Amino acid sequence: MIDLPRTIEWRDGRVRLINQLLLPEKLEYIETTDWRRIAKAIKDMEIRGAPAIGVAAAFGLALYAYHNRADTLEEFMEGLREAAKVLSSTRPTAVNLFWAIRRVLEAAEKAGSVEEARRRVIEEALAIQREDEEANRKIGEYGEQLIDDGDTVITVCNAGSLATSYWGTATAPIYTALERGKRVRVFALETRPYLQGARLTAWELHRAGVEVYVVTDNSMGILAEKEKIDLAIVGADRVTRLGYVANKIGTYPLSLVSRVHNIPFYVAAPTSTIDMDAAGPEDFEIERRDPREVLYWRGVRIAPEGVSSIYYAFDITPPQLITGIITEKGIAYPPYIKTLRKVKGL
Ligand code: MRU
């Protein structure tokens, strides 16, 4: 039985979330009643991963709804929209953030009174969290069929339980395979500069009893050459209707290496990550973070003074390098323009 800690929880007007900046050294929680603290946690990456930040933003709005004392619906909605604006400005690439905020706002807009709006906001946020976990369980069911006993899977960043409500996206097929008695070995690319692979993926997989190896990002070529890698499974921050996939920096090079070495390259993502309004890379923003995150390691400068860095936090893998996209509605295969519409129910 795999038992992972809950990434984020709603506890009667309080939100408790794992402070992911402290892992793997310490498993510590942040508890707050303040929606602004949630916005800070997303911005500072105390919580991260596309589905998890969607849930966090929804819970931020739920905190606003729970604690706000507005007398009129107009006043309540004005404050809610302001909170939504602040939460939306925290990180630009993962579409789940905007999707979740829009869902909660639309639920509130249907209300006829402040009390109803409060209740609707909280219920919608809880539904988003519940559905995320359900989606991941289904991704596990579909993805598990791609894994044979004894396989080695390579992944990048953390698209694990920590990046979602529970079970993860890229890790879901691995956990489900493990529960069904299959032996799976995982190569976790360390994922410079935030080291989500080394710190987070290795932590949760090891805890779950998976044989995991932390490998440097720049070793992906030689690993594909020398080691038996059966499958690449990565997460996504945004999938466009044509099948372009924005995910953590290093995903695109992994897809290229996988193509050259005939390793099937799968993306695992809930349909909430599919953005039908975006066609290609020009239709959304790739987050660029502070160069200091590259130039310093835990406060120690590792590059010469006077030198800067160009730091994109995500890259974009083109559809032609993607074998399939594992969603909770099944695995979408090319041509994505057709199959993504189908899994979206359009
Ligand atoms: O910058 P991060 O840590 O938020 O990036 C996370 C990723 O790139 C994940 O692969 C993605 O969000 C999918 S999480 C299930």
Side-chain angles (χ1 to χ4, degrees):
M1 210 351 226
I2 294 169
D3 184 23
L4 296 158
R6 293 271 155 188
T7 309
I8 179 162
E9 284 177 304
W10 174 260
R11 298 183 156 195
D12 255 339
R14 300 183 78 78
V15 171
R16 188 178 97 142
L17 55 94
I18 296 176
N19 184 349
Q20 300 192 24
L21 291 179
L22 302 181
L23 287 171
E25 289 90 354
K26 275 187 263 178
L27 176 58
E28 253 180 44
Y29 293 86
I30 293 164
E31 268 201 56
T32 184
T33 54
D34 180 2
W35 67 265
R36 285 189 177 79
R37 179 67 186 88
I38 298 286
K40 183 178 174 337
I42 299 172
K43 204 177 174 64
D44 295 349
M45 291 176 67
E46 288 163 325
I47 187 162
R48 29 65 51 206
I53 65 177
V55 173
F59 280 179
L61 295 176
L63 283 180
Y64 164 86
Y66 192 97
H67 296 284
N68 172 274
R69 291 283 150 259
D71 293 322
T72 65
L73 186 56
E74 290 67 34
E75 204 189 322
F76 175 87
M77 287 305 294
E78 201 184 312
L80 186 72
R81 289 197 188 97
E82 181 54 34
K85 208 166 125 196
V86 174
L87 286 158
S88 300
S89 69
T90 49
R91 296 193 73 190
T93 305
V95 75
N96 304 61
L97 179 74
F98 309 100
W99 168 86
I101 290 171
R102 196 178 328 122
R103 227 180 108 164
V104 173
L105 284 180
E106 280 172 11
E109 276 154 12
K110 291 194 193 109
S113 68
V114 188
E115 289 68 36
E116 190 189 345
R118 269 191 233 294
R119 183 175 49 73
R120 279 178 172 273
V121 166
I122 296 166
E123 279 175 8
E124 196 67 18
L126 287 167
I128 287 171
Q129 185 191 38
R130 199 172 51 244
E131 288 167 26
D132 181 53
E133 180 176 342
E134 285 164 8
N136 296 337
R137 296 278 186 182
K138 297 224 174 78
I139 288 172
E141 296 284 324
Y142 288 113
E144 181 268 340
Q145 296 166 33
L146 303 168
I147 300 176
D148 289 328
D149 186 28
D151 270 0
T152 298
V153 178
I154 189 163
T155 190
V156 61
C157 192
N158 174 261
S161 194
L162 286 165
T164 65
S165 300
Y166 199 70
W167 214 237
T169 60
T171 54
I174 298 166
Y175 290 141
T176 305
L178 195 75
E179 277 197 336
R180 297 193 176 158
K182 292 181 184 171
R183 285 160 304 135
V184 190
R185 188 169 76 136
V186 176
F187 291 167
L189 288 161
E190 67 176 347
T191 319
R192 266 275 290 161
Y194 244 75
L195 304 184
Q196 290 95 329
R199 293 192 301 107
L200 308 177
T201 302
W203 181 78
E204 63 165 89
L205 288 175
H206 178 67
R207 220 183 133 106
V210 179
E211 184 186 349
V212 57
Y213 296 82
V214 174
V215 291
T216 61
D217 301 331
N218 48 14
S219 67
M220 62 173 83
I222 192 69
L223 287 171
E225 179 69 40
K226 298 278 191 197
E227 299 284 325
K228 181 182 94 70
I229 302 179
D230 301 285
L231 204 60
I233 312 181
V234 302
D237 283 80
R238 193 181 294 241
V239 179
T240 75
R241 64 175 182 270
L242 297 181
Y244 285 88
V245 169
N247 191 49
K248 182 52 56 189
I249 193 77
T251 303
Y252 175 37
L254 180 62
S255 73
L256 289 165
V257 168
S258 298
R259 175 54 53 98
V260 171
H261 290 270
N262 290 317
I263 299 167
F265 183 90
Y266 283 90
V267 173
T271 51
S272 53
T273 305
I274 303 170
D275 178 5
M276 297 304 280
D277 294 334
E282 60 292 342
D283 294 333
F284 60 93
E285 189 183 334
I286 289 290
E287 180 179 11
R288 291 184 67 166
R289 294 184 64 86
D290 189 335
R292 281 176 299 190
E293 289 177 7
V294 172
L295 299 168
Y296 288 82
W297 170 239
R298 295 198 160 163
V300 178
R301 195 167 170 106
I302 53 170
E305 289 293 345
V307 170
S308 192
S309 171
I310 299 170
Y311 172 20
Y312 289 93
F314 300 93
D315 60 24
I316 299 165
T317 303
Q320 63 271 24
L321 293 176
I322 300 167
T323 310
I325 302 176
I326 312 165
T327 77
E328 77 276 20
K329 303 278 186 211
I331 306 180
Y333 289 101
Y336 294 116
I337 182 76
K338 278 199 183 143
T339 55
L340 291 178
R341 276 185 72 81
K342 196 161 162 228
V343 293
K344 272 292 233 185
L346 299 169

